[in-house]
Amino acid sequence: MPATHAVVPDERNASILVGMRDGVTREFRLVPKEKATVSVLDSAFMLGDGIWEGIRCKQGVIQFAKEHINRLFESAKAMYMDLELSRFQLLEYIYETIDANNMNSSDDVHIRLMVSRGLKDTPHQNPRSTIGAPLIVVIPEFKKADPSIQNRGLKLATVHIRRGPPDVKDEMWNHMSKATDIQACIQANYLGVDEALMLDDRGWAKTCNSTNFMIVREGTGEDEGRLVIWSPTKNNQMQGITRRKTIEACRDAGIPVYEQDFSLTEVYGAVEAFCCGTFPAQISVIQVDGRQIGDGRSPGPMVQHINTLYNQLVARDIGRGRAATLVDARIWDMPYTERYQNGYIQLPGQRVKANGVHHEIDLL
């Protein structure tokens, strides 16, 4: 298992139940893992025609549920794929799967949510040959990150596989066709490092093959004497929710975050660097292309501080409870103008309804 996704083995995963919404019958079933199969005529199997989300669940509550579900629906819209269910219904499927696997008391549940365009009537790329609705698969597992990885840190190497513009690659959504990332991962394996550091088409540092990437620098000018975060720009990289939440946690705590282009030379000169993603959260990078980053300590003091801030953000989100995530789904299922008219979104200068009002929405 790659270091960024190294886990503590858990025998309970041998007997998990997988949630599956069949696109032809529209039936949702819980299936033992060894019997959870798809047809050779499935769109994702044949063509990589599908989308996915990696999601964390703690104490029976989906972490950053609104962000993950909304991103999935946005990806589906980009793919011109009608899921034929609401956000609320999809979230209910996920929770039903979590409950069936007795995962409500665990802090270490990871879910792979996969959506294939559906069954084909013949091997052909045209979506018109699809039968029925998309296939939806929910795979939950007990996955505790291996703590030894945080203690030793990550080694990266730049690879020749580049991050391209979003119109030709999967940077703007989680598409099942991961050929670019897999090729980068293969090269990283060959080089004997933990992840590939990928550059964009102009040579700026961008992202790793499965995680986002940031560096810590000593500030200059008005930031003199302070540590600051440099995050690659949104262009040509994965639009990670953990990336967004890490930036949010830092800015809320007064840590300057600059989203900008930067070079490999500036990476080598960083005092700290780290990878971040839904599963690993933040992990220090101690070496890039054989160059030690800072003093090579893992976790570095800044990364350790960021991880604490991020965990506090997660705790606040989880602390809202499962019902709040379902209410959010109900709200986001409303048409845009209805959300506006009911005060759930605002024009500049207006106030949004307080969270306490949300309980008025019928969950039944």
Side-chain angles (χ1 to χ4, degrees):
M1 178 67 70
T4 51
H5 290 76
V7 301
V8 177
D10 196 313
E11 61 184 15
R12 290 175 293 180
N13 291 327
S15 58
I16 63 166
L17 296 172
V18 174
M20 302 184 72
R21 197 283 299 268
D22 185 282
V24 178
T25 66
R26 272 67 167 186
E27 178 187 4
F28 182 77
R29 297 182 301 123
L30 293 162
V31 184
K33 182 169 71 171
E34 66 275 11
K35 295 182 180 179
T37 59
V38 299
S39 168
V40 294
L41 293 176
D42 177 74
S43 297
F45 174 76
M46 283 199 298
L47 303 164
D49 187 5
I51 53 180
W52 63 277
E53 286 288 323
I55 303 171
R56 274 290 194 182
C57 180
K58 294 178 180 292
Q59 299 297 313
V61 182
I62 301 300
Q63 176 177 312
F64 304 134
K66 179 176 70 175
E67 289 81 359
H68 281 288
I69 298 300
N70 280 346
R71 183 170 67 176
L72 185 82
F73 272 76
E74 187 172 81
S75 297
K77 191 172 186 178
M79 292 294 296
Y80 214 90
M81 185 187 300
D82 182 2
L83 301 186
E84 297 195 18
L85 83 172
S86 67
R87 290 168 175 80
F88 182 84
Q89 289 170 317
L90 179 57
L91 199 52
E92 280 197 314
Y93 284 161
I94 298 172
Y95 280 133
E96 184 177 343
T97 308
I98 291 297
D99 293 345
N101 284 284
N102 299 313
M103 292 175 161
N104 290 310
S105 61
S106 176
D107 284 332
D108 299 302
V109 173
H110 184 268
I111 301 160
R112 179 57 62 99
L113 173 62
M114 297 180 289
V115 180
S116 164
R117 191 179 296 275
L119 187 67
K120 312 288 281 189
D121 61 10
T122 186
H124 193 272
Q125 71 180 37
N126 196 319
R128 289 179 177 175
S129 63
T130 306
I131 302 170
L135 168 70
I136 298 174
V137 179
V138 183
I139 306 177
E141 292 182 300
F142 294 97
K143 281 189 173 181
K144 180 178 176 62
D146 185 346
S148 68
I149 303 301
Q150 188 67 264
N151 293 330
R152 76 163 173 83
L154 302 174
K155 295 181 180 180
L156 310 181
T158 53
V159 297
H160 76 276
I161 306 295
R162 296 295 178 104
R163 281 288 179 187
D167 58 335
V168 296
K169 294 281 194 336
D170 62 349
E171 277 74 19
M172 296 307 292
W173 63 81
N174 284 345
H175 194 273
M176 282 188 182
S177 180
K178 303 293 287 180
T180 301
D181 297 314
I182 292 168
Q183 288 297 311
C185 182
I186 289 169
Q187 192 172 351
N189 291 343
Y190 179 79
L191 294 170
V193 296
D194 298 305
E195 285 254 326
L197 179 58
M198 303 172 71
L199 312 180
D200 68 10
D201 52 1
R202 297 170 300 156
W204 302 117
K206 274 299 165 183
T207 180
C208 295
N209 57 274
S210 71
T211 55
N212 290 107
F213 177 73
M214 301 185 194
I215 62 175
V216 181
R217 302 271 302 189
E218 294 186 31
T220 59
E222 63 180 17
D223 294 322
E224 187 76 38
R226 293 199 295 171
L227 295 175
V228 300
I229 307 298
W230 286 10
S231 175
T233 61
K234 186 179 178 182
N235 302 326
N236 302 74
Q237 74 155 308
M238 299 180 294
Q239 305 307 305
I241 288 172
T242 305
R243 172 187 179 273
R244 256 189 282 154
K245 292 297 183 179
T246 298
I247 292 172
E248 178 184 330
C250 288
R251 286 177 172 162
D252 285 349
I255 300 171
V257 180
Y258 296 97
E259 296 183 73
Q260 62 187 39
D261 293 324
F262 52 86
S263 68
L264 275 174
T265 298
E266 290 167 313
V267 172
Y268 301 150
V271 295
E272 293 185 47
F274 61 97
C275 293
C276 62
T278 296
F279 178 73
Q282 298 82 23
I283 305 180
S284 288
V285 172
I286 60 170
Q287 186 185 102
V288 177
D289 295 334
R291 282 85 162 175
Q292 178 176 294
I293 302 301
D295 62 6
R297 175 181 170 182
S298 182
M302 185 59 147
V303 173
Q304 196 165 17
H305 181 50
I306 292 171
N307 189 248
T308 298
L309 296 173
Y310 176 79
N311 286 337
Q312 291 171 350
L313 187 63
V314 169
R316 289 196 295 273
D317 182 69
I318 295 299
R320 297 167 61 237
R322 179 181 290 192
T325 67
L326 290 165
V327 166
D328 285 343
R330 281 288 198 215
I331 292 170
W332 279 87
D333 278 330
M334 293 178 182
Y336 152 68
T337 51
E338 187 175 338
R339 293 202 310 275
Y340 169 69
Q341 290 166 356
N342 282 278
Y344 293 112
I345 51 177
Q346 62 176 343
L347 294 174
Q350 292 182 322
R351 295 183 63 185
V352 180
K353 277 189 177 182
N355 288 337
V357 179
H358 291 177
H359 71 275
E360 296 175 2
I361 296 179
D362 186 8
L363 290 176
L364 300 177

